[in-house]
Amino acid sequence: METQYTVQYDRLDDEPLSVAVATAVATFSGIDVTELEPLHYAINADALERLFEPHADGLRSGGSVTFEYNNCLVTVTADGAITVESADRA
């Protein structure tokens, strides 16, 4: 199993960030996304969306958030990177 998985999220796309996070975790874990516990058990998904959504004056240029989800550490950065690694390594 890979020790880290990173995917780029298009912040201007219609796909919610929460869906992209769940998909990245499922891919890293080698399971179907439907086998994951709901994301809101780990983090407030609405707050996550608002934190990185585009603003009237453009995209957020800095910042990140890291949280544990499905025995993984997930880091989302303002540039759209979603990085997943095993929480056991932390």
Side-chain angles (χ1 to χ4, degrees):
M1 184 165 133
E2 291 183 52
T3 59
Q4 187 175 6
Y5 174 74
T6 302
V7 64
Q8 192 65 31
Y9 171 70
D10 183 353
R11 296 178 293 166
L12 299 177
D13 194 9
D14 288 337
E15 178 184 52
L17 178 55
S18 56
V19 171
V21 166
T23 301
V25 169
T27 299
F28 175 80
S29 301
I31 61 175
D32 191 87
V33 73
T34 59
E35 296 178 49
L36 296 174
E37 67 182 18
L39 182 62
H40 70 264
Y41 288 179
I43 192 169
N44 181 320
D46 290 335
L48 180 65
E49 299 282 348
R50 284 193 304 274
L51 185 61
F52 295 110
E53 71 186 1
H55 297 279
D57 60 349
L59 297 172
R60 183 179 303 275
S61 61
S64 68
V65 63
T66 300
F67 57 95
E68 190 170 333
Y69 176 51
N70 198 65
N71 202 33
C72 296
L73 280 182
V74 179
T75 301
V76 180
T77 61
D79 66 359
I82 301 170
T83 302
V84 184
E85 59 188 313
S86 173
D88 296 337
R89 294 187 61 224

